[in-house]
């Protein structure tokens, strides 16, 4: 159960859907309110329809290069991003940036949030080389316009730090997170919810490095601030409880993890309703705890409910649905039902290939899962072909020294050993060991 990061992103829909200026068409205003409500409920399919209509209304009312059009473009792009339709989101973000730059100039403060949005999209896609200069440009604009100690600067620092953390550039990320936190504490006071967000993000960085003793007090301090400032049933509290549960799992405290996860689930169901994708996240977390205890019978109904929620809210081809299918495939496989597990993994692979393309790391993960099933089902030749395709993808996209490359080498070595190819297995194990050593 990895921690759920609270990133101070400039993607908040409440900001993008701020009250329009006097004289704006009431139809546009009404559509925006409906989009906001649908987005909050996780009904992204319907939200995208109305957001498209709002964009057309803005263009007809104000022309194609008005600030209100840029707002509508950002909103629609954000909804497509939530649906993981990155191909649809990117041109909308780009057009919004172009409008802002034309209206105000390339270094105007209004351009910075749109740069952050596009960078966030690239980061989510794994296109970090494109995300980094956008985050850096946004930071430079804000520092120049607002000075080095404005909370908006803290936002940009946080986003850049999160990008570095996603690349395992922890030494570069930590000072940015700490500077961001210092700005927020000075600007808003030590008990402000934004300070809790900064503490949470720094804690996650510690967690990812295995620095559990450093992460624990930061998470718990963030939880105290959120409970006191926002109330014990706020969604930020639920997020922090999920993060603490992840820390509990890492340290073998499964009972405490279950308590925190169940409380997070209750908060999310109460606040968002039983059919929200965020509720599905907690259901999966709880299912994963049962999975660690090898209780497939308890995990299965949680995974099934999560799948039903996400298929309805996100669509049947959403990558999150693929993850749910993987979870249910584990249930079937652990019960010895290989014939039931295989089509689930095949469907998961097809979804991911369609979403990100055939040569990306998420595809490699799906290939490894399917290969492991086929190996257990007595089909080593087919399993080997999938492991080797996965290895090629990972070495090409992540580099030969990445931990995922080492893990796949180990899997392939085990298969070779099981099929009597000891010398080949030894060579693969040696290569995996060297890969792990270089990664350190």
């Amino acid at each position: 159960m990895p921690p759920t990061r609270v990133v101070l992103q400039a993607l908040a829909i409440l900001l993008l859907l701020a009250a329009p200026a006097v004289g704006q068409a009431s139809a546009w205003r009404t559509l925006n309110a409906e989009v906001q409500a649908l987005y909050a409920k996780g009904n992204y399919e319907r939200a995208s329809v109305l957001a498209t209509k709002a964009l057309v209304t803005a263009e007809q009312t104000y022309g194609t290069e008005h600030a209100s059009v840029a707002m509508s473009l950002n909103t629609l792009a954000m909804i497509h991003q939530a649906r993981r339709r990155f191909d649809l989101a990117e041109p909308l973000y780009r057009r919004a940036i172009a409008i802002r730059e034309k209206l105000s100039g390339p270094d105007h403060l209004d351009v910075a949030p749109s740069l952050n949005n596009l960078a966030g999209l690239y980061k989510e896609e794994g296109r970090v080389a494109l995300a980094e200069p956008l985050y850096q440009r946004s930071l430079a604009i804000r520092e120049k316009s607002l000075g080095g100690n404005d909370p908006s600067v803290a936002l940009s620092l946080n986003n850049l730090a999160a990008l570095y953390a996603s690349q395992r550039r922890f030494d570069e990320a930590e000072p940015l997170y700490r500077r961001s936190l210092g700005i927020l504490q000075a600007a808003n006071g030590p008990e402000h919810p934004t300070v809790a967000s900064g503490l949470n993000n720094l804690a996650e960085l510690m967690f990812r490095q295995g620095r559990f003793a450093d992460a624990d007090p930061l998470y718990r301090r963030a939880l105290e601030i959120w409970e006191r400032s926002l109330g014990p049933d706020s969604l930020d509290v639920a997020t922090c409880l999920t993060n603490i549960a992840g820390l509990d799992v890492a340290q073998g405290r499964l009972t405490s993890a279950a308590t925190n996860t169940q409380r997070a689930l209750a908060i999310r169901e109460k606040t968002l309703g039983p059919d929200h994708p965020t509720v599905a996240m907690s259901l999966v977390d709880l299912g994963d705890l049962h999975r660690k205890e090898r209780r497939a019978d308890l995990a299965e109904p949680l995974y099934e409910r999560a799948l039903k929620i996400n298929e309805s809210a996100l669509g049947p081809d959403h990558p999150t649905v693929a993850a749910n299918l993987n979870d249910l495939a584990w249930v079937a496989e652990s019960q010895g039902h290989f014939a039931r597990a295989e089509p689930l993994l095949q469907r998961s692979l097809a979804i991911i290939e369609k979403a990100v393309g055939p040569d990306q790391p998420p595809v490699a993960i799906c290939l490894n899962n399917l290969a492991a099933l086929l190996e257990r089902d007595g089909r080593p030749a087919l399993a080997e072909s999938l492991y080797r395709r996965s290895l090629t993808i990972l070495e090409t996209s992540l580099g030969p020294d990445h931990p995922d490359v080492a893990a796949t080498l180990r899997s392939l070595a085990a298969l070779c050993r099981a099929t009597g190819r000891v010398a080949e297995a030894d060579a693969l194990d040696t290569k995996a060991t060297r890969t792990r050593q270089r990664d350190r």
Side-chain angles (χ1 to χ4, degrees):
M1 184 191 313
T4 305
R5 180 171 63 254
V6 176
V7 177
L8 299 171
Q9 275 280 16
L11 281 172
I13 197 165
L14 293 177
L15 294 178
L16 292 176
L17 298 178
V22 175
Q24 287 183 341
S26 61
W28 188 69
R29 195 164 50 237
T30 300
L31 284 168
N32 280 338
E34 291 181 37
V35 169
Q36 179 179 337
L38 290 166
Y39 185 92
K41 293 177 181 177
N43 189 345
Y44 303 133
E45 296 292 331
R46 179 60 179 161
S48 69
V49 172
L50 293 188
T52 301
K53 189 175 180 180
L55 173 59
V56 172
T57 301
E59 290 175 326
Q60 291 173 344
T61 304
Y62 305 108
T64 58
E65 295 184 345
H66 192 274
S68 297
V69 173
M71 287 177 63
S72 287
L73 287 164
N74 265 319
T75 300
L76 181 57
M78 199 174 92
I79 294 167
H80 286 321
Q81 185 174 347
R83 298 169 59 221
R84 297 188 69 84
R85 288 302 310 272
F86 302 139
D87 58 320
L88 300 179
E90 181 178 352
L92 299 174
Y93 280 139
R94 285 191 169 279
R95 188 180 157 203
I97 291 172
I99 292 172
R100 295 287 190 192
E101 289 179 327
K102 183 173 182 178
L103 291 174
S104 306
D107 298 324
H108 194 276
L109 196 57
D110 288 346
V111 176
S114 293
L115 294 171
N116 266 331
N117 292 349
L118 182 57
L121 176 73
Y122 287 148
K123 176 178 177 290
E124 193 170 351
E125 289 183 287
R127 299 161 72 185
V128 293
L130 296 177
E132 185 171 356
L134 294 174
Y135 277 141
Q136 290 172 334
R137 183 181 160 200
S138 175
L139 173 61
I141 290 172
R142 284 173 166 164
E143 286 185 313
K144 181 178 179 180
S145 300
L146 302 170
N149 297 312
D150 189 88
S152 293
V153 172
L155 170 67
S156 287
L157 288 166
N158 181 87
N159 292 343
L160 187 57
L163 181 71
Y164 290 156
S166 72
Q167 299 172 270
R168 299 170 60 85
R169 294 161 64 181
F170 301 131
D171 290 343
E172 295 173 78
E174 184 168 346
L176 298 181
Y177 273 138
R178 290 193 181 278
R179 182 183 162 201
S180 175
L181 179 59
I183 292 171
L184 295 170
Q185 288 173 324
N188 299 329
E191 302 295 322
H192 195 273
T194 59
V195 172
S197 295
L199 290 164
N200 181 84
N201 292 339
L202 184 58
E204 185 201 1
L205 186 71
M206 305 295 110
F207 178 92
R208 292 189 62 187
Q209 296 175 85
R211 296 163 59 183
F212 302 146
D214 293 326
D216 189 270
L218 295 172
Y219 277 140
R220 295 187 187 281
R221 174 70 178 135
L223 180 62
E224 290 174 3
I225 294 172
W226 271 323
E227 286 183 320
R228 197 159 40 238
S229 60
L230 302 179
D233 294 330
S234 79
L235 291 175
D236 286 325
V237 167
T239 295
C240 200
L241 288 166
T242 299
N243 295 346
I244 292 172
L247 190 63
D248 287 335
V249 169
Q251 298 178 92
R253 302 193 299 255
L254 297 186
T255 300
S256 177
T259 298
N260 287 320
T261 302
Q262 287 165 344
R263 184 182 164 200
L265 173 60
I267 291 171
R268 287 168 169 170
E269 286 182 315
K270 178 180 178 181
T271 305
L272 301 171
D275 299 321
H276 194 280
T278 305
V279 170
M281 290 171 57
S282 286
L283 291 168
V284 169
D285 288 341
L286 199 54
D288 287 348
L289 288 173
H290 293 312
R291 182 172 180 167
K292 285 187 173 295
E293 297 172 326
R294 312 300 297 178
R295 292 298 307 272
D297 57 319
L298 298 179
E300 184 172 15
L302 297 168
Y303 289 151
E304 286 178 339
R305 185 181 161 201
L307 174 64
K308 183 178 179 182
I309 290 171
N310 286 326
E311 284 184 318
S312 176
L314 306 176
D317 296 327
H318 195 279
T320 302
V321 169
N324 298 147
L325 292 167
N326 267 319
D327 292 333
L328 285 169
W330 170 82
V331 170
E333 184 177 354
S334 68
Q335 296 171 337
H337 303 311
F338 298 150
R340 198 172 83 209
E342 185 173 348
L344 297 172
L345 292 177
Q346 293 279 13
R347 183 184 162 199
S348 176
L349 173 60
I351 291 171
I352 295 299
E353 285 185 313
K354 180 180 177 181
V356 304
D359 299 318
Q360 296 299 318
V363 172
I365 293 172
C366 291
L367 289 167
N368 279 339
N369 291 342
L370 183 56
L373 174 71
L374 295 173
E375 186 178 0
R376 288 190 64 194
D377 196 34
R379 288 180 276 173
L382 186 53
E384 181 174 348
S385 68
L386 297 181
Y387 279 136
R388 291 193 181 279
R389 182 185 163 199
S390 172
L391 182 61
T392 299
I393 291 171
L394 293 171
E395 288 180 325
T396 302
S397 59
L398 301 178
D401 299 336
H402 195 277
D404 289 349
V405 171
T408 303
L409 286 167
R410 295 284 190 200
S411 297
L412 189 54
L415 186 148
C416 290
R417 199 175 303 281
T419 53
R421 293 139 63 193
V422 176
E424 188 175 354
D426 288 342
L428 290 166
D429 275 330
T430 299
K431 186 177 179 181
T433 299
R434 290 173 180 166
T435 297
R436 293 297 299 271
Q437 289 172 342
R438 286 194 298 267
D439 178 61
R440 296 193 191 99

